[in-house]
Short mmCIF file of all heavy atoms in Angstrom, two decimals:
data_model
loop_
_atom_site.label_atom_id
_atom_site.label_comp_id
_atom_site.label_asym_id
_atom_site.label_seq_id
_atom_site.Cartn_x
_atom_site.Cartn_y
_atom_site.Cartn_z
N ALA A 112 23.51 -11.62 18.77
CA ALA A 112 23.73 -10.59 19.73
C ALA A 112 22.61 -9.56 19.59
O ALA A 112 22.08 -9.13 20.66
CB ALA A 112 25.05 -9.85 19.46
N GLN A 113 22.17 -9.25 18.40
CA GLN A 113 21.06 -8.29 18.31
C GLN A 113 19.71 -8.89 18.80
O GLN A 113 18.98 -8.22 19.41
CB GLN A 113 20.97 -7.85 16.84
CG GLN A 113 22.05 -6.97 16.34
CD GLN A 113 21.98 -6.67 14.88
OE1 GLN A 113 21.30 -7.44 14.10
NE2 GLN A 113 22.69 -5.61 14.50
N ASP A 114 19.53 -10.18 18.54
CA ASP A 114 18.32 -10.85 19.02
C ASP A 114 18.31 -10.91 20.56
O ASP A 114 17.23 -10.69 21.14
CB ASP A 114 18.27 -12.23 18.43
CG ASP A 114 18.02 -12.31 16.96
OD1 ASP A 114 17.60 -11.21 16.37
OD2 ASP A 114 18.19 -13.33 16.29
N LYS A 115 19.44 -11.19 21.12
CA LYS A 115 19.54 -11.23 22.59
C LYS A 115 19.29 -9.86 23.23
O LYS A 115 18.55 -9.77 24.23
CB LYS A 115 20.92 -11.74 23.05
CG LYS A 115 21.07 -11.79 24.51
CD LYS A 115 20.31 -12.86 25.16
CE LYS A 115 20.52 -12.97 26.65
NZ LYS A 115 19.57 -13.96 27.34
N ALA A 116 19.82 -8.85 22.65
CA ALA A 116 19.60 -7.46 23.13
C ALA A 116 18.10 -7.05 23.05
O ALA A 116 17.57 -6.50 24.00
CB ALA A 116 20.45 -6.53 22.38
N GLN A 117 17.41 -7.40 21.98
CA GLN A 117 16.03 -7.10 21.91
C GLN A 117 15.27 -7.83 22.91
O GLN A 117 14.19 -7.39 23.43
CB GLN A 117 15.55 -7.41 20.48
CG GLN A 117 16.16 -6.47 19.50
CD GLN A 117 15.67 -6.70 18.00
OE1 GLN A 117 14.97 -7.66 17.82
NE2 GLN A 117 16.07 -5.88 17.06
N GLU A 118 15.61 -9.09 23.22
CA GLU A 118 14.82 -9.90 24.22
C GLU A 118 14.93 -9.20 25.57
O GLU A 118 13.94 -9.25 26.40
CB GLU A 118 15.44 -11.29 24.33
CG GLU A 118 15.12 -12.18 23.14
CD GLU A 118 15.84 -13.49 23.28
OE1 GLU A 118 16.42 -13.78 24.37
OE2 GLU A 118 15.74 -14.35 22.38
N LEU A 119 16.01 -8.49 25.87
CA LEU A 119 16.16 -7.75 27.12
C LEU A 119 15.53 -6.39 27.08
O LEU A 119 15.48 -5.66 28.06
CB LEU A 119 17.61 -7.64 27.56
CG LEU A 119 18.33 -8.98 27.74
CD1 LEU A 119 19.87 -8.78 27.94
CD2 LEU A 119 17.75 -9.68 28.90
N GLY A 120 15.04 -5.96 25.99
CA GLY A 120 14.39 -4.66 25.83
C GLY A 120 15.22 -3.58 25.17
O GLY A 120 14.74 -2.38 25.09
N PHE A 121 16.43 -3.88 24.67
CA PHE A 121 17.27 -2.95 23.99
C PHE A 121 16.88 -2.91 22.47
O PHE A 121 17.05 -3.91 21.82
CB PHE A 121 18.76 -3.25 24.18
CG PHE A 121 19.25 -3.17 25.53
CD1 PHE A 121 19.36 -4.37 26.38
CD2 PHE A 121 19.55 -1.94 26.15
CE1 PHE A 121 19.79 -4.24 27.66
CE2 PHE A 121 19.95 -1.86 27.45
CZ PHE A 121 20.08 -3.00 28.24
N TYR A 122 16.44 -1.82 22.01
CA TYR A 122 15.98 -1.74 20.59
C TYR A 122 16.81 -0.72 19.81
O TYR A 122 16.70 -0.65 18.59
CB TYR A 122 14.54 -1.45 20.50
CG TYR A 122 13.69 -2.51 21.04
CD1 TYR A 122 13.12 -2.54 22.29
CD2 TYR A 122 13.38 -3.64 20.20
CE1 TYR A 122 12.37 -3.55 22.78
CE2 TYR A 122 12.66 -4.71 20.70
CZ TYR A 122 12.13 -4.67 21.97
OH TYR A 122 11.33 -5.70 22.40
N GLY A 123 17.63 0.10 20.50
CA GLY A 123 18.46 1.01 19.74
C GLY A 123 19.79 0.45 19.43
O GLY A 123 20.79 0.54 20.15
N LEU A 124 19.85 -0.31 18.33
CA LEU A 124 21.07 -1.15 17.95
C LEU A 124 21.66 -0.65 16.71
O LEU A 124 21.00 -0.40 15.67
CB LEU A 124 20.56 -2.61 17.83
CG LEU A 124 19.81 -3.26 19.01
CD1 LEU A 124 19.33 -4.68 18.59
CD2 LEU A 124 20.64 -3.25 20.24
N THR A 125 23.00 -0.50 16.72
CA THR A 125 23.83 -0.18 15.58
C THR A 125 25.05 -1.04 15.55
O THR A 125 25.35 -1.67 16.58
CB THR A 125 24.22 1.27 15.54
OG1 THR A 125 24.90 1.66 16.72
CG2 THR A 125 23.02 2.23 15.43
N SER A 126 25.81 -1.02 14.40
CA SER A 126 27.02 -1.78 14.33
C SER A 126 27.92 -1.06 13.36
O SER A 126 27.50 -0.21 12.56
CB SER A 126 26.77 -3.20 13.92
OG SER A 126 26.17 -3.22 12.61
N HIS A 127 29.25 -1.31 13.47
CA HIS A 127 30.24 -0.74 12.62
C HIS A 127 31.34 -1.70 12.31
O HIS A 127 31.48 -2.66 12.97
CB HIS A 127 30.81 0.59 13.19
CG HIS A 127 31.57 0.33 14.40
ND1 HIS A 127 30.93 0.29 15.66
CD2 HIS A 127 32.89 0.09 14.68
CE1 HIS A 127 31.88 0.02 16.60
NE2 HIS A 127 33.06 -0.03 16.02
N ASP A 128 32.08 -1.45 11.24
CA ASP A 128 33.31 -2.28 10.86
C ASP A 128 34.36 -2.01 11.80
O ASP A 128 34.95 -0.94 11.94
CB ASP A 128 33.62 -1.91 9.45
CG ASP A 128 34.75 -2.81 8.87
OD1 ASP A 128 35.27 -3.63 9.63
OD2 ASP A 128 35.03 -2.66 7.70
N ALA A 129 34.76 -2.99 12.60
CA ALA A 129 35.77 -2.92 13.59
C ALA A 129 37.15 -2.72 13.01
O ALA A 129 38.16 -2.28 13.74
CB ALA A 129 35.83 -4.17 14.56
N LEU A 130 37.32 -3.04 11.74
CA LEU A 130 38.68 -2.92 11.04
C LEU A 130 38.83 -1.51 10.44
O LEU A 130 39.85 -1.18 9.77
CB LEU A 130 38.88 -3.98 10.02
CG LEU A 130 38.94 -5.33 10.52
CD1 LEU A 130 39.09 -6.40 9.38
CD2 LEU A 130 40.08 -5.54 11.49
N GLY A 131 37.79 -0.65 10.61
CA GLY A 131 37.86 0.69 10.05
C GLY A 131 37.79 0.84 8.53
O GLY A 131 38.12 1.86 7.97
N ARG A 132 37.27 -0.25 7.90
CA ARG A 132 37.16 -0.21 6.41
C ARG A 132 35.84 0.36 5.87
O ARG A 132 35.65 0.41 4.75
CB ARG A 132 37.37 -1.64 5.88
CG ARG A 132 38.82 -2.13 6.10
CD ARG A 132 38.95 -3.67 5.92
NE ARG A 132 38.50 -4.05 4.55
CZ ARG A 132 38.61 -5.33 4.10
NH1 ARG A 132 39.15 -6.23 4.88
NH2 ARG A 132 38.20 -5.62 2.88
N ASP A 133 35.04 0.76 6.80
CA ASP A 133 33.77 1.41 6.48
C ASP A 133 32.81 0.49 5.66
O ASP A 133 32.05 0.94 4.81
CB ASP A 133 33.98 2.75 5.65
CG ASP A 133 32.83 3.64 5.73
OD1 ASP A 133 31.93 3.53 6.65
OD2 ASP A 133 32.73 4.49 4.79
N ARG A 134 32.89 -0.80 5.98
CA ARG A 134 31.94 -1.74 5.34
C ARG A 134 30.61 -1.78 6.00
O ARG A 134 30.51 -1.55 7.21
CB ARG A 134 32.60 -3.11 5.33
CG ARG A 134 33.83 -3.32 4.47
CD ARG A 134 34.46 -4.65 4.69
NE ARG A 134 34.98 -4.77 6.07
CZ ARG A 134 35.58 -5.91 6.55
NH1 ARG A 134 35.77 -6.90 5.63
NH2 ARG A 134 35.97 -6.01 7.77
N MET A 135 29.57 -2.07 5.27
CA MET A 135 28.25 -2.17 5.89
C MET A 135 28.01 -3.66 6.29
O MET A 135 28.35 -4.55 5.45
CB MET A 135 27.21 -1.67 4.84
CG MET A 135 27.26 -0.18 4.51
SD MET A 135 25.95 0.28 3.46
CE MET A 135 24.51 0.00 4.56
N GLN A 136 27.30 -3.78 7.27
CA GLN A 136 26.92 -5.16 7.75
C GLN A 136 25.57 -5.54 7.13
O GLN A 136 24.53 -5.54 7.79
CB GLN A 136 26.86 -5.27 9.31
CG GLN A 136 28.21 -5.09 10.03
CD GLN A 136 28.74 -3.66 9.92
OE1 GLN A 136 28.03 -2.71 10.41
NE2 GLN A 136 29.88 -3.45 9.39
N ALA A 137 25.65 -5.87 5.82
CA ALA A 137 24.52 -6.12 5.10
C ALA A 137 23.77 -7.40 5.51
O ALA A 137 22.55 -7.54 5.66
CB ALA A 137 24.77 -6.13 3.53
N PHE A 138 24.63 -8.42 5.79
CA PHE A 138 24.09 -9.79 6.27
C PHE A 138 24.73 -10.02 7.66
O PHE A 138 25.86 -10.41 7.77
CB PHE A 138 24.53 -10.88 5.28
CG PHE A 138 23.96 -10.65 3.89
CD1 PHE A 138 24.81 -10.09 2.93
CD2 PHE A 138 22.61 -10.93 3.54
CE1 PHE A 138 24.27 -9.91 1.63
CE2 PHE A 138 22.13 -10.66 2.31
CZ PHE A 138 22.97 -10.19 1.36
N ASP A 139 23.87 -9.76 8.66
CA ASP A 139 24.37 -9.77 10.02
C ASP A 139 24.90 -11.19 10.41
O ASP A 139 25.82 -11.27 11.25
CB ASP A 139 23.19 -9.43 11.02
CG ASP A 139 22.81 -7.96 10.86
OD1 ASP A 139 23.65 -7.09 10.35
OD2 ASP A 139 21.68 -7.59 11.20
N ARG A 140 24.35 -12.25 9.80
CA ARG A 140 24.78 -13.61 10.14
C ARG A 140 26.24 -13.85 9.70
O ARG A 140 26.81 -14.83 10.04
CB ARG A 140 23.85 -14.60 9.60
CG ARG A 140 22.51 -14.64 10.33
CD ARG A 140 21.45 -15.64 9.72
NE ARG A 140 20.28 -15.72 10.44
CZ ARG A 140 19.28 -14.86 10.28
NH1 ARG A 140 19.39 -13.86 9.45
NH2 ARG A 140 18.19 -14.97 11.06
N SER A 141 26.73 -12.98 8.74
CA SER A 141 28.15 -13.17 8.24
C SER A 141 29.11 -12.40 9.06
O SER A 141 30.31 -12.37 8.63
CB SER A 141 28.12 -12.73 6.73
OG SER A 141 27.28 -13.49 5.94
N TRP A 142 28.71 -11.81 10.15
CA TRP A 142 29.53 -10.95 10.99
C TRP A 142 29.57 -11.47 12.44
O TRP A 142 28.59 -12.05 12.81
CB TRP A 142 29.20 -9.48 10.89
CG TRP A 142 29.33 -8.84 9.58
CD1 TRP A 142 28.52 -9.04 8.44
CD2 TRP A 142 30.29 -7.95 9.21
NE1 TRP A 142 28.96 -8.41 7.40
CE2 TRP A 142 30.07 -7.61 7.87
CE3 TRP A 142 31.33 -7.26 9.80
CZ2 TRP A 142 30.81 -6.72 7.09
CZ3 TRP A 142 32.07 -6.37 9.19
CH2 TRP A 142 31.82 -6.06 7.74
N LYS A 143 30.63 -11.15 13.12
CA LYS A 143 30.73 -11.49 14.55
C LYS A 143 31.18 -10.26 15.32
O LYS A 143 31.78 -9.39 14.88
CB LYS A 143 31.75 -12.68 14.81
CG LYS A 143 33.15 -12.34 14.38
CD LYS A 143 34.12 -13.57 14.51
CE LYS A 143 35.50 -13.25 14.11
NZ LYS A 143 36.36 -14.41 14.14
N VAL A 144 30.74 -10.26 16.65
CA VAL A 144 30.96 -9.10 17.46
C VAL A 144 32.41 -9.17 18.05
O VAL A 144 32.76 -10.18 18.66
CB VAL A 144 29.92 -9.09 18.68
CG1 VAL A 144 30.21 -7.90 19.58
CG2 VAL A 144 28.49 -8.99 18.05
N CYS A 145 33.06 -8.03 17.96
CA CYS A 145 34.39 -7.84 18.54
C CYS A 145 34.43 -6.86 19.64
O CYS A 145 35.30 -7.01 20.52
CB CYS A 145 35.37 -7.33 17.45
SG CYS A 145 35.72 -8.49 16.10
N SER A 146 33.43 -5.98 19.74
CA SER A 146 33.44 -4.99 20.81
C SER A 146 31.98 -4.50 20.97
O SER A 146 31.13 -4.69 20.11
CB SER A 146 34.31 -3.81 20.44
OG SER A 146 33.93 -3.11 19.32
N GLN A 147 31.78 -3.88 22.14
CA GLN A 147 30.51 -3.26 22.43
C GLN A 147 30.70 -2.02 23.19
O GLN A 147 31.70 -1.87 23.96
CB GLN A 147 29.59 -4.26 23.25
CG GLN A 147 30.21 -4.72 24.55
CD GLN A 147 29.45 -5.87 25.12
OE1 GLN A 147 29.40 -6.97 24.64
NE2 GLN A 147 28.70 -5.58 26.29
N ASN A 148 29.87 -1.03 23.04
CA ASN A 148 30.13 0.35 23.62
C ASN A 148 29.71 0.39 25.12
O ASN A 148 30.01 1.35 25.77
CB ASN A 148 29.40 1.38 22.83
CG ASN A 148 27.91 1.24 22.83
OD1 ASN A 148 27.35 0.17 22.88
ND2 ASN A 148 27.12 2.30 22.80
N VAL A 149 28.95 -0.63 25.55
CA VAL A 149 28.56 -0.63 27.01
C VAL A 149 29.26 -1.89 27.67
O VAL A 149 29.10 -3.00 27.15
CB VAL A 149 27.05 -0.67 27.24
CG1 VAL A 149 26.65 -0.74 28.71
CG2 VAL A 149 26.42 0.50 26.48
N THR A 150 29.89 -1.67 28.75
CA THR A 150 30.65 -2.77 29.44
C THR A 150 29.70 -3.81 29.86
O THR A 150 28.58 -3.50 30.43
CB THR A 150 31.39 -2.16 30.66
OG1 THR A 150 32.24 -1.15 30.20
CG2 THR A 150 32.26 -3.25 31.28
N ALA A 151 30.00 -5.08 29.73
CA ALA A 151 29.25 -6.15 30.17
C ALA A 151 29.03 -6.15 31.66
O ALA A 151 29.97 -5.86 32.45
CB ALA A 151 29.88 -7.48 29.75
N GLY A 152 27.88 -6.50 32.15
CA GLY A 152 27.53 -6.57 33.61
C GLY A 152 27.02 -5.23 34.14
O GLY A 152 26.50 -5.23 35.26
N LYS A 153 27.09 -4.17 33.44
CA LYS A 153 26.62 -2.88 33.87
C LYS A 153 25.15 -2.91 33.80
O LYS A 153 24.52 -3.27 32.81
CB LYS A 153 27.24 -1.79 33.05
CG LYS A 153 27.01 -0.40 33.57
CD LYS A 153 27.78 0.62 32.79
CE LYS A 153 27.57 2.04 33.28
NZ LYS A 153 28.26 3.05 32.49
N ASN A 154 24.50 -2.26 34.84
CA ASN A 154 23.01 -2.16 34.85
C ASN A 154 22.65 -0.86 34.24
O ASN A 154 22.94 0.18 34.82
CB ASN A 154 22.54 -2.31 36.30
CG ASN A 154 21.02 -2.60 36.40
OD1 ASN A 154 20.53 -3.38 35.61
ND2 ASN A 154 20.31 -2.01 37.32
N VAL A 155 21.98 -0.89 33.09
CA VAL A 155 21.71 0.33 32.32
C VAL A 155 20.19 0.38 31.88
O VAL A 155 19.57 -0.69 31.84
CB VAL A 155 22.61 0.47 31.15
CG1 VAL A 155 24.07 0.58 31.50
CG2 VAL A 155 22.44 -0.66 30.14
N SER A 156 19.77 1.50 31.56
CA SER A 156 18.40 1.67 31.00
C SER A 156 18.27 1.04 29.61
O SER A 156 19.24 1.06 28.81
CB SER A 156 18.07 3.21 30.93
OG SER A 156 16.89 3.38 30.11
N THR A 157 17.14 0.43 29.44
CA THR A 157 16.92 -0.22 28.08
C THR A 157 16.74 0.80 26.97
O THR A 157 16.69 0.39 25.85
CB THR A 157 15.65 -1.10 28.20
OG1 THR A 157 14.56 -0.29 28.65
CG2 THR A 157 15.85 -2.30 29.13
N ASP A 158 16.74 2.06 27.31
CA ASP A 158 16.76 3.16 26.25
C ASP A 158 18.16 3.38 25.74
O ASP A 158 18.31 4.12 24.76
CB ASP A 158 16.18 4.45 26.83
CG ASP A 158 14.67 4.42 26.94
OD1 ASP A 158 14.10 3.54 26.30
OD2 ASP A 158 14.09 5.25 27.64
N THR A 159 19.17 2.74 26.35
CA THR A 159 20.51 2.95 25.91
C THR A 159 20.77 2.46 24.50
O THR A 159 20.37 1.30 24.17
CB THR A 159 21.47 2.25 26.91
OG1 THR A 159 21.23 2.77 28.23
CG2 THR A 159 22.94 2.54 26.53
N ASP A 160 21.48 3.16 23.69
CA ASP A 160 21.81 2.76 22.36
C ASP A 160 23.05 1.84 22.43
O ASP A 160 24.09 2.19 22.99
CB ASP A 160 22.12 3.93 21.38
CG ASP A 160 20.82 4.74 21.15
OD1 ASP A 160 19.69 4.13 21.13
OD2 ASP A 160 20.96 5.97 20.87
N LEU A 161 22.98 0.67 21.80
CA LEU A 161 24.08 -0.29 21.70
C LEU A 161 24.78 -0.24 20.38
O LEU A 161 24.09 -0.27 19.36
CB LEU A 161 23.68 -1.65 22.10
CG LEU A 161 22.94 -1.90 23.39
CD1 LEU A 161 22.72 -3.35 23.70
CD2 LEU A 161 23.78 -1.33 24.57
N ASP A 162 26.12 -0.20 20.40
CA ASP A 162 26.86 -0.17 19.12
C ASP A 162 27.92 -1.34 19.18
O ASP A 162 28.68 -1.41 20.16
CB ASP A 162 27.65 1.18 18.96
CG ASP A 162 28.34 1.26 17.68
OD1 ASP A 162 27.99 0.50 16.74
OD2 ASP A 162 29.23 2.10 17.51
N PHE A 163 27.79 -2.19 18.20
CA PHE A 163 28.68 -3.35 18.16
C PHE A 163 29.74 -3.14 17.09
O PHE A 163 29.41 -2.82 15.93
CB PHE A 163 27.90 -4.68 17.84
CG PHE A 163 26.80 -5.05 18.88
CD1 PHE A 163 25.52 -5.13 18.48
CD2 PHE A 163 27.19 -5.26 20.20
CE1 PHE A 163 24.53 -5.42 19.40
CE2 PHE A 163 26.26 -5.53 21.12
CZ PHE A 163 24.91 -5.67 20.73
N GLY A 164 31.04 -3.37 17.50
CA GLY A 164 32.12 -3.40 16.43
C GLY A 164 32.23 -4.82 16.00
O GLY A 164 32.23 -5.85 16.78
N ALA A 165 32.22 -5.07 14.63
CA ALA A 165 32.18 -6.39 14.13
C ALA A 165 33.06 -6.58 12.90
O ALA A 165 33.46 -5.62 12.29
CB ALA A 165 30.75 -6.68 13.70
N VAL A 166 33.46 -7.82 12.69
CA VAL A 166 34.29 -8.17 11.51
C VAL A 166 33.62 -9.39 10.92
O VAL A 166 32.73 -10.03 11.53
CB VAL A 166 35.76 -8.60 11.88
CG1 VAL A 166 36.45 -7.33 12.42
CG2 VAL A 166 35.77 -9.69 12.86
N LYS A 167 33.96 -9.82 9.69
CA LYS A 167 33.41 -10.92 8.99
C LYS A 167 33.89 -12.17 9.77
O LYS A 167 34.86 -12.28 10.39
CB LYS A 167 33.79 -10.92 7.58
CG LYS A 167 33.06 -9.88 6.78
CD LYS A 167 33.18 -10.14 5.28
CE LYS A 167 32.29 -9.14 4.47
NZ LYS A 167 32.43 -9.38 3.00
N LEU A 168 33.13 -13.29 9.59
CA LEU A 168 33.39 -14.47 10.31
C LEU A 168 34.80 -15.10 10.10
O LEU A 168 35.41 -15.60 11.07
CB LEU A 168 32.30 -15.57 9.95
CG LEU A 168 30.88 -15.27 10.28
CD1 LEU A 168 29.96 -16.36 9.83
CD2 LEU A 168 30.73 -15.02 11.83
N GLU A 169 35.32 -14.91 8.93
CA GLU A 169 36.62 -15.45 8.62
C GLU A 169 37.76 -14.57 8.98
O GLU A 169 38.99 -14.88 8.85
CB GLU A 169 36.71 -15.72 7.12
CG GLU A 169 36.67 -14.51 6.19
CD GLU A 169 35.23 -14.15 5.76
OE1 GLU A 169 34.33 -14.63 6.48
OE2 GLU A 169 35.10 -13.39 4.86
N GLU A 170 37.40 -13.40 9.52
CA GLU A 170 38.50 -12.39 9.95
C GLU A 170 38.74 -12.47 11.45
O GLU A 170 37.91 -12.91 12.24
CB GLU A 170 38.05 -10.99 9.52
CG GLU A 170 37.86 -10.76 8.04
CD GLU A 170 37.28 -9.46 7.70
OE1 GLU A 170 36.67 -8.84 8.57
OE2 GLU A 170 37.39 -9.00 6.49
N SER A 171 39.86 -11.92 11.85
CA SER A 171 40.26 -11.83 13.26
C SER A 171 39.93 -10.43 13.77
O SER A 171 40.11 -9.48 13.09
CB SER A 171 41.73 -12.09 13.43
OG SER A 171 42.10 -13.41 12.97
N CYS A 172 39.50 -10.42 15.03
CA CYS A 172 39.12 -9.16 15.67
C CYS A 172 40.43 -8.41 15.98
O CYS A 172 41.44 -9.03 16.41
CB CYS A 172 38.44 -9.39 17.02
SG CYS A 172 36.74 -9.96 16.74
N PRO A 173 40.43 -7.06 15.75
CA PRO A 173 41.65 -6.32 16.10
C PRO A 173 41.74 -6.14 17.64
O PRO A 173 40.80 -6.41 18.39
CB PRO A 173 41.35 -4.93 15.43
CG PRO A 173 39.91 -4.84 15.28
CD PRO A 173 39.39 -6.27 15.14
N ALA A 174 42.91 -5.76 18.08
CA ALA A 174 43.14 -5.49 19.52
C ALA A 174 42.17 -4.53 20.05
O ALA A 174 41.63 -4.62 21.15
CB ALA A 174 44.53 -5.01 19.79
N LYS A 175 41.90 -3.53 19.23
CA LYS A 175 40.80 -2.56 19.51
C LYS A 175 40.29 -1.97 18.18
O LYS A 175 40.97 -2.09 17.15
CB LYS A 175 41.30 -1.40 20.42
CG LYS A 175 42.34 -0.47 19.83
CD LYS A 175 42.63 0.60 20.82
CE LYS A 175 43.49 1.69 20.07
NZ LYS A 175 43.76 2.83 21.04
N ASP A 176 39.12 -1.47 18.31
CA ASP A 176 38.51 -0.99 17.01
C ASP A 176 39.37 0.06 16.32
O ASP A 176 39.90 1.00 17.05
CB ASP A 176 37.14 -0.36 17.35
CG ASP A 176 36.03 -1.45 17.50
OD1 ASP A 176 36.49 -2.66 17.57
OD2 ASP A 176 34.85 -1.08 17.63
#
Side-chain angles (χ1 to χ4, degrees):
Q113 291 175 339
D114 292 344
K115 178 65 175 179
Q117 290 180 355
E118 289 177 4
L119 296 174
F121 296 98
Y122 292 98
L124 306 176
T125 58
S126 61
H127 64 273
D128 186 352
L130 295 177
R132 291 168 56 177
D133 199 22
R134 295 171 295 181
M135 296 183 63
Q136 293 72 59
F138 301 99
D139 295 335
R140 290 178 176 81
S141 299
W142 295 72
K143 62 185 178 182
V144 177
C145 293
S146 64
Q147 59 190 70
N148 65 327
V149 180
T150 305
K153 188 175 182 180
N154 198 39
V155 296
S156 168
T157 54
D158 283 344
T159 303
D160 293 332
L161 302 186
D162 184 19
F163 299 120
V166 297
K167 289 192 173 182
L168 296 178
E169 64 273 14
E170 298 172 340
S171 299
C172 289
K175 67 175 185 177
D176 282 7

